[in-house]
Amino acid sequence: MSTTRSAPAELLERGDGARSSGLLARERLFAMLDPGVDRQVTLVSAPPGSGKTTLVRSWLAARAGSTAVGWVDVRRDESDPSHFWGQVLDAVRSSGVVSADSALATLVPTTLAEPAELLGHLATGLHRIEEPLVLVLDDIHQLRSSEALDGLESLLADAPPTLHVVLTSRRDPRLGLHRLRLSGRLTEIRAANLEFTAAEAGELLEEAGVRVDDADIARLHQRTEGWATGLRLAALSLARHPFPGQFVAEFAGSERTVADYLLGEVLASQPPEVRDLLLRTCILDRVNGELADLLTGRSDGHRLLHELAEANALVVAVDVGRTSFRYHQLLLDLLRLDLRRELPEEIEDLHRRAARWYADHGEAVDAIRHARLAGDWDLACELLGRHWVQLLLDGEEATLSHLLDGLPEGLAAADSEVATMLAADHLRHGRWVEADALIDSARRTIGAVPDARRSRAEAALATVQLFRARQVGGVEDVLDEADGAVEGYLGTAEQGGADLGALAVLNLGIAKAWTFRFEAAERDLQRGLALGRSIGRPYVEIGCLTALGNVATLTERIELGEKRLRDAIAVAERVGWTTHPLVGAAYMGLASTLLDRGMLAEGEQWLDRADPILTRAPEPPASVGLRHAQGMLAMGRGRFDDALAAFEDGERLVDVLHAPHVFAAVERPWQLRARLGLGDIDAVREALSGAPSTAAEWCNLSARLHLLAGEPEEALAAVAPVHTGEAAAIHVNFNIEAWLLDALAHRALGDRAAAERSTENALALAEPDGRCGMILTIPGVQELLREHPVHRTAHASHLQLLCDLLAGVEPEATGAPTTLEEPLKERELAVLRFLSTNLTAAEIGSELFLSVHTVKTHMRKLYAKLDVHTRAEAVQQGRALGLLAPARRIS
Amino acid sequence: MKPTTYEITVRGRIGPALVDAFEGMTVSVTPTKTLLRGHMVDQATLHGVLELIESFGLELLDVRRAELTT
């Protein structure tokens, strides 16, 4: 989002700021600020108009070049944590101290991930910056988001020594500053410090070219009580006044409040064109010459603004080129009152013109805000319709919700696009009923959308309906219509429409995957992935990669699936989204493929990551997958009651879906396999009486029952239709299962040759993709495989892997779920490998030809990198990270 | 909190430009102070007014609940 993010820091680095923008070098206060850099935080807390921002600007200008500076103008009433942190990141990046490999370079704030994740990366990134950095958060009292305040508090509490944060605020912010104060890490500059002394007041007046005698200076100082803005306003009036002495006398004798009196004087004394410009441009937060001309109808905007900025600190340039200006807040507030009194009938038109200018310049949020203030709902809705997906993908959900809240009630009933956007907002918060009502409304009014916007409106509605269907089912009902709408919209190639296009294709692809249209899904998702990458949207990229990974896995391209899922997770790690709901599905998918390949320990780790995310942001289809995978893990470990609970939970979730799900058909037969494990033969026998005989998952279950009951002939009969294809297997795992059950039955009947043949068939199906997960759940398979002749099999290595697994020895993890911030050096890794033995440090030293001292140094360093304190913890952590082979567990 | 009338005193006399800012409140001026009197629907309204006073650089002298005689 290209909201205005000013760069006064760059402006200041030019080094000429102090003079030409009328900034006064207040050495007395600089002497307080300078030593503060060695502490963590400086708080400049004082009422408006005390000269807080001016002081910090002039101080930075005076010491320009000596330190890197990042500057954040906190947005008015900032309630969007993503936007705030985005500004902080931009400021830190633009200070030039962030290296390309730092997490700070790639982080993308989002409100959907756990706040702790962004903060963790931010803190780590800041700690790794070696040069001193001054970060100014100007007007921090505007920060209303408690989430962002909490985050900032923890950041300040643990700030690295190289970082110095300057906060300016109208009132003491709620940031736990008392703790910093107690520990001597806080510098404070308060209203009393900021008050001008009589001598400083004299300097200020002289700087402004005002010639008055010392007595008048004393009078002005007394009357304004050293209040910065009062003095500046007085200086402005005096500079033009024919009889300065008389002005001072009148002012000193007045009982009017200072701001009121002086602003009235200042505005009254301005030439008419300046007054007109100030009045008409005060509706803006930032002014530039072009916008000013648009609002005044003249062409002197840039010149006048430039002159005002040169003359005093009430108008300040906020960019390097001095083309964009901002008015002092007090002046702004007063001007807005004047505008309401003097030109009330023009206000809406001014806002409308500003809205169009911002829209033309791609500044969506400002454009929408002014369109709302103009009461121009047509324009506001057109702009929202064009930009809402962009805001969503920018992570500025809070800003979007705020903009939508401002629309008049009843608009949704008439405007299809508005209803669609509001429905999306409800869906994001899980309010299905409200969302459905709005979707119905949007469908009713879609015909009334003007032709120019029709295709976009249809694509947006289709996307929202697909998203809804993904959550609660009904994909089949909307898919065809959505397919057409999305295809149609992509054909229009609307300018700036890539965000909606990419999001639409992503949802379409996922919907097709959930309904087994794998080829079409693959096409859509590849298209979405390319789009998402070209426009730099991690949301689309992660979503497409995850879905592509799951499609590959479901179509039995297991290695490709694993690669895509790991790619999705890598993107999430890069942008700091590993706790984003979007990534839950990737963890779950990866866990499933790992479990299928027998890597139970690593699979479990990814399941443990997916579980909290899917619990926090439930998405039923993904949760079904999660429960199924948890059930398979428990089966593999022989924990049948856990498995039963997981499969039952999975079935319950499928029922919630009202839609086909890849696991829908198998949850019940898997529950019954778990029951067999628990020895509950009767329940299974009863359930089988009404079971479909044309589905492999049921035929195999029947065979398992017969084997357990000592009826191998019946078991053979049960699996026969699976071999012939009469009973359909929805996954190759059921074919593998059928052959092994067949082998077990032959073995029970004493036909070793037939058992061998069937085992070979199973191994042939399992080996290409390294499948083990299903095999581990079959009772009696351990003996069968142990007896299988190694010299006659064509699949010796897979057989060995399976025998190891069945003996409780898991293969080494191929990739660790977590990575170290700072990788271990080769020597440290060598030492770590010895820590799992009972050798002493001296003995390890002699093994590695190192001194005992060096070994201890390596240990200290690797403990720090692993974030552990004891040898046992180091070994445990080393295993968890895949640096050490997993412990050999014999069950 | 029930709707309540509040009296807010600030230092100095506020002029016509500022009076507009306190729309809906009765503004009375003494030689050295200004008394703002108004009906507050809830605490949020009251804090809004206090913020307005802050933003105009006015010095707050007193905030009190008025007797319910009006």
Short mmCIF file of all heavy atoms in Angstrom, two decimals, chain A residues 330-361:
data_model
loop_
_atom_site.label_atom_id
_atom_site.label_comp_id
_atom_site.label_asym_id
_atom_site.label_seq_id
_atom_site.Cartn_x
_atom_site.Cartn_y
_atom_site.Cartn_z
N LEU A 330 -2.24 22.15 15.73
CA LEU A 330 -3.07 23.21 16.32
C LEU A 330 -3.64 24.11 15.23
O LEU A 330 -4.82 24.48 15.23
CB LEU A 330 -2.18 24.02 17.27
CG LEU A 330 -2.87 24.82 18.35
CD1 LEU A 330 -3.67 23.91 19.24
CD2 LEU A 330 -1.81 25.56 19.17
N LEU A 331 -2.77 24.47 14.28
CA LEU A 331 -3.19 25.29 13.15
C LEU A 331 -4.27 24.55 12.37
O LEU A 331 -5.30 25.13 11.98
CB LEU A 331 -1.97 25.57 12.26
CG LEU A 331 -2.22 26.35 10.97
CD1 LEU A 331 -2.71 27.76 11.27
CD2 LEU A 331 -0.95 26.41 10.12
N LEU A 332 -4.04 23.25 12.17
CA LEU A 332 -4.98 22.43 11.42
C LEU A 332 -6.35 22.41 12.08
O LEU A 332 -7.38 22.62 11.43
CB LEU A 332 -4.40 21.01 11.36
CG LEU A 332 -4.78 20.14 10.19
CD1 LEU A 332 -4.44 20.80 8.89
CD2 LEU A 332 -4.05 18.80 10.31
N ASP A 333 -6.35 22.20 13.39
CA ASP A 333 -7.62 22.13 14.12
C ASP A 333 -8.38 23.44 14.01
O ASP A 333 -9.59 23.48 13.80
CB ASP A 333 -7.37 21.78 15.59
CG ASP A 333 -6.94 20.33 15.76
OD1 ASP A 333 -7.21 19.53 14.84
OD2 ASP A 333 -6.32 20.00 16.78
N LEU A 334 -7.64 24.55 14.16
CA LEU A 334 -8.27 25.86 14.09
C LEU A 334 -8.79 26.15 12.68
O LEU A 334 -9.89 26.66 12.50
CB LEU A 334 -7.21 26.92 14.46
CG LEU A 334 -7.33 27.62 15.80
CD1 LEU A 334 -8.12 28.90 15.65
CD2 LEU A 334 -7.97 26.76 16.87
N LEU A 335 -7.98 25.81 11.69
CA LEU A 335 -8.38 26.05 10.30
C LEU A 335 -9.66 25.27 9.97
O LEU A 335 -10.54 25.76 9.27
CB LEU A 335 -7.26 25.63 9.35
CG LEU A 335 -6.08 26.60 9.23
CD1 LEU A 335 -4.93 25.94 8.48
CD2 LEU A 335 -6.49 27.90 8.54
N ARG A 336 -9.74 24.04 10.50
CA ARG A 336 -10.92 23.23 10.19
C ARG A 336 -12.17 23.86 10.79
O ARG A 336 -13.24 23.80 10.19
CB ARG A 336 -10.71 21.79 10.67
CG ARG A 336 -9.74 21.05 9.75
CD ARG A 336 -9.40 19.65 10.19
NE ARG A 336 -8.41 19.08 9.26
CZ ARG A 336 -7.77 17.94 9.44
NH1 ARG A 336 -7.99 17.22 10.52
NH2 ARG A 336 -6.89 17.51 8.56
N LEU A 337 -12.03 24.44 11.96
CA LEU A 337 -13.17 25.15 12.54
C LEU A 337 -13.56 26.34 11.66
O LEU A 337 -14.73 26.58 11.39
CB LEU A 337 -12.82 25.65 13.94
CG LEU A 337 -12.78 24.60 15.04
CD1 LEU A 337 -12.34 25.24 16.35
CD2 LEU A 337 -14.15 23.97 15.22
N ASP A 338 -12.54 27.09 11.22
CA ASP A 338 -12.80 28.25 10.36
C ASP A 338 -13.48 27.83 9.07
O ASP A 338 -14.41 28.48 8.59
CB ASP A 338 -11.49 28.98 10.02
CG ASP A 338 -11.05 29.89 11.17
OD1 ASP A 338 -11.79 29.96 12.17
OD2 ASP A 338 -9.98 30.51 11.05
N LEU A 339 -13.00 26.73 8.51
CA LEU A 339 -13.55 26.26 7.25
C LEU A 339 -15.04 25.93 7.42
O LEU A 339 -15.87 26.28 6.58
CB LEU A 339 -12.79 25.01 6.78
CG LEU A 339 -13.28 24.38 5.47
CD1 LEU A 339 -13.04 25.30 4.29
CD2 LEU A 339 -12.59 23.04 5.22
N ARG A 340 -15.35 25.29 8.54
CA ARG A 340 -16.74 24.92 8.79
C ARG A 340 -17.62 26.17 8.90
O ARG A 340 -18.79 26.16 8.55
CB ARG A 340 -16.83 24.11 10.09
CG ARG A 340 -17.21 22.67 9.83
CD ARG A 340 -16.90 21.79 10.99
NE ARG A 340 -17.59 22.18 12.22
CZ ARG A 340 -17.32 21.64 13.42
NH1 ARG A 340 -16.38 20.73 13.52
NH2 ARG A 340 -17.98 22.03 14.49
N ARG A 341 -17.03 27.24 9.42
CA ARG A 341 -17.80 28.46 9.61
C ARG A 341 -17.90 29.25 8.31
O ARG A 341 -18.94 29.81 7.99
CB ARG A 341 -17.16 29.31 10.71
CG ARG A 341 -18.07 30.38 11.26
CD ARG A 341 -17.48 31.03 12.48
NE ARG A 341 -16.06 31.32 12.29
CZ ARG A 341 -15.09 30.93 13.12
NH1 ARG A 341 -15.37 30.24 14.19
NH2 ARG A 341 -13.84 31.22 12.87
N GLU A 342 -16.78 29.30 7.57
CA GLU A 342 -16.73 30.22 6.44
C GLU A 342 -17.17 29.62 5.11
O GLU A 342 -17.77 30.30 4.29
CB GLU A 342 -15.32 30.81 6.31
CG GLU A 342 -14.99 31.72 7.48
CD GLU A 342 -13.60 32.33 7.36
OE1 GLU A 342 -13.12 32.47 6.22
OE2 GLU A 342 -13.01 32.66 8.41
N LEU A 343 -16.81 28.36 4.88
CA LEU A 343 -17.17 27.77 3.58
C LEU A 343 -17.87 26.43 3.75
O LEU A 343 -17.51 25.43 3.11
CB LEU A 343 -15.89 27.54 2.74
CG LEU A 343 -15.01 28.75 2.42
CD1 LEU A 343 -13.68 28.27 1.84
CD2 LEU A 343 -15.70 29.68 1.45
N PRO A 344 -18.89 26.38 4.60
CA PRO A 344 -19.48 25.07 4.91
C PRO A 344 -19.98 24.35 3.66
O PRO A 344 -19.91 23.13 3.57
CB PRO A 344 -20.63 25.40 5.87
CG PRO A 344 -20.94 26.84 5.64
CD PRO A 344 -19.65 27.49 5.23
N GLU A 345 -20.48 25.12 2.69
CA GLU A 345 -21.10 24.48 1.52
C GLU A 345 -20.05 23.89 0.57
O GLU A 345 -20.38 23.13 -0.32
CB GLU A 345 -22.02 25.47 0.79
CG GLU A 345 -21.33 26.61 0.06
CD GLU A 345 -20.68 27.64 0.98
OE1 GLU A 345 -20.98 27.65 2.20
OE2 GLU A 345 -19.83 28.43 0.50
N GLU A 346 -18.78 24.25 0.78
CA GLU A 346 -17.76 23.75 -0.15
C GLU A 346 -17.02 22.52 0.37
O GLU A 346 -16.27 21.88 -0.36
CB GLU A 346 -16.72 24.85 -0.43
CG GLU A 346 -17.28 25.94 -1.32
CD GLU A 346 -16.19 26.89 -1.78
OE1 GLU A 346 -15.07 26.40 -2.04
OE2 GLU A 346 -16.46 28.09 -1.85
N ILE A 347 -17.23 22.21 1.64
CA ILE A 347 -16.40 21.16 2.25
C ILE A 347 -16.50 19.83 1.51
O ILE A 347 -15.50 19.20 1.18
CB ILE A 347 -16.78 20.99 3.74
CG1 ILE A 347 -16.42 22.27 4.49
CG2 ILE A 347 -16.03 19.80 4.35
CD1 ILE A 347 -16.79 22.27 5.95
N GLU A 348 -17.75 19.43 1.22
CA GLU A 348 -17.91 18.13 0.55
C GLU A 348 -17.21 18.11 -0.79
O GLU A 348 -16.58 17.13 -1.17
CB GLU A 348 -19.39 17.81 0.39
CG GLU A 348 -20.03 17.43 1.71
CD GLU A 348 -21.38 16.78 1.53
OE1 GLU A 348 -21.89 16.76 0.38
OE2 GLU A 348 -21.93 16.29 2.52
N ASP A 349 -17.32 19.21 -1.52
CA ASP A 349 -16.70 19.26 -2.84
C ASP A 349 -15.17 19.19 -2.73
O ASP A 349 -14.51 18.55 -3.54
CB ASP A 349 -17.13 20.54 -3.56
CG ASP A 349 -16.65 20.54 -4.99
OD1 ASP A 349 -16.88 19.53 -5.69
OD2 ASP A 349 -16.01 21.53 -5.41
N LEU A 350 -14.63 19.85 -1.70
CA LEU A 350 -13.17 19.79 -1.50
C LEU A 350 -12.74 18.34 -1.26
O LEU A 350 -11.77 17.86 -1.84
CB LEU A 350 -12.77 20.66 -0.31
CG LEU A 350 -12.89 22.18 -0.51
CD1 LEU A 350 -12.64 22.92 0.81
CD2 LEU A 350 -11.91 22.68 -1.58
N HIS A 351 -13.50 17.65 -0.42
CA HIS A 351 -13.17 16.24 -0.14
C HIS A 351 -13.28 15.41 -1.42
O HIS A 351 -12.46 14.52 -1.67
CB HIS A 351 -14.10 15.68 0.93
CG HIS A 351 -13.70 16.07 2.33
ND1 HIS A 351 -12.49 15.71 2.87
CD2 HIS A 351 -14.35 16.78 3.29
CE1 HIS A 351 -12.42 16.19 4.12
NE2 HIS A 351 -13.53 16.84 4.39
N ARG A 352 -14.30 15.68 -2.21
CA ARG A 352 -14.50 14.88 -3.43
C ARG A 352 -13.31 15.07 -4.37
O ARG A 352 -12.80 14.11 -4.94
CB ARG A 352 -15.80 15.29 -4.12
CG ARG A 352 -16.15 14.39 -5.32
CD ARG A 352 -17.51 14.71 -5.89
NE ARG A 352 -18.56 14.52 -4.90
CZ ARG A 352 -19.34 15.49 -4.43
NH1 ARG A 352 -19.17 16.73 -4.85
NH2 ARG A 352 -20.27 15.23 -3.54
N ARG A 353 -12.88 16.33 -4.50
CA ARG A 353 -11.75 16.59 -5.40
C ARG A 353 -10.47 15.91 -4.86
O ARG A 353 -9.70 15.33 -5.63
CB ARG A 353 -11.53 18.09 -5.55
CG ARG A 353 -12.52 18.69 -6.57
CD ARG A 353 -12.14 20.10 -6.92
NE ARG A 353 -12.92 21.04 -6.12
CZ ARG A 353 -12.68 22.34 -6.06
NH1 ARG A 353 -11.65 22.85 -6.73
NH2 ARG A 353 -13.44 23.14 -5.35
N ALA A 354 -10.30 15.98 -3.55
CA ALA A 354 -9.12 15.32 -2.97
C ALA A 354 -9.20 13.81 -3.20
O ALA A 354 -8.20 13.17 -3.54
CB ALA A 354 -9.05 15.62 -1.47
N ALA A 355 -10.40 13.25 -3.03
CA ALA A 355 -10.57 11.81 -3.22
C ALA A 355 -10.14 11.40 -4.62
O ALA A 355 -9.43 10.42 -4.81
CB ALA A 355 -12.03 11.41 -2.97
N ARG A 356 -10.59 12.17 -5.61
CA ARG A 356 -10.25 11.81 -7.00
C ARG A 356 -8.74 11.91 -7.23
O ARG A 356 -8.16 11.09 -7.92
CB ARG A 356 -11.00 12.72 -7.98
CG ARG A 356 -12.48 12.46 -7.96
CD ARG A 356 -13.17 12.99 -9.22
NE ARG A 356 -14.61 12.88 -9.08
CZ ARG A 356 -15.29 11.76 -9.22
NH1 ARG A 356 -14.64 10.65 -9.52
NH2 ARG A 356 -16.60 11.73 -9.06
N TRP A 357 -8.13 12.94 -6.64
CA TRP A 357 -6.68 13.08 -6.82
C TRP A 357 -5.94 11.87 -6.23
O TRP A 357 -5.08 11.28 -6.87
CB TRP A 357 -6.18 14.37 -6.16
CG TRP A 357 -4.74 14.66 -6.49
CD1 TRP A 357 -4.27 15.36 -7.55
CD2 TRP A 357 -3.58 14.23 -5.75
NE1 TRP A 357 -2.89 15.40 -7.54
CE2 TRP A 357 -2.44 14.72 -6.45
CE3 TRP A 357 -3.39 13.48 -4.59
CZ2 TRP A 357 -1.13 14.48 -6.01
CZ3 TRP A 357 -2.09 13.23 -4.16
CH2 TRP A 357 -0.98 13.74 -4.87
N TYR A 358 -6.34 11.49 -5.01
CA TYR A 358 -5.68 10.33 -4.38
C TYR A 358 -5.94 9.06 -5.18
O TYR A 358 -5.06 8.23 -5.35
CB TYR A 358 -6.16 10.15 -2.94
CG TYR A 358 -5.53 11.12 -1.97
CD1 TYR A 358 -6.30 12.00 -1.22
CD2 TYR A 358 -4.14 11.15 -1.78
CE1 TYR A 358 -5.73 12.89 -0.32
CE2 TYR A 358 -3.56 12.04 -0.90
CZ TYR A 358 -4.35 12.91 -0.17
OH TYR A 358 -3.76 13.78 0.70
N ALA A 359 -7.17 8.93 -5.68
CA ALA A 359 -7.49 7.74 -6.48
C ALA A 359 -6.61 7.69 -7.72
O ALA A 359 -6.06 6.64 -8.06
CB ALA A 359 -8.97 7.75 -6.86
N ASP A 360 -6.45 8.84 -8.37
CA ASP A 360 -5.61 8.88 -9.58
C ASP A 360 -4.16 8.57 -9.26
O ASP A 360 -3.39 8.15 -10.12
CB ASP A 360 -5.68 10.27 -10.24
CG ASP A 360 -7.05 10.51 -10.86
OD1 ASP A 360 -7.78 9.52 -11.03
OD2 ASP A 360 -7.38 11.67 -11.15
N HIS A 361 -3.77 8.84 -8.01
CA HIS A 361 -2.37 8.60 -7.65
C HIS A 361 -2.18 7.30 -6.87
O HIS A 361 -1.16 7.10 -6.20
CB HIS A 361 -1.82 9.79 -6.86
CG HIS A 361 -1.64 11.01 -7.73
ND1 HIS A 361 -2.70 11.78 -8.14
CD2 HIS A 361 -0.54 11.55 -8.30
CE1 HIS A 361 -2.26 12.76 -8.92
NE2 HIS A 361 -0.96 12.64 -9.04
#
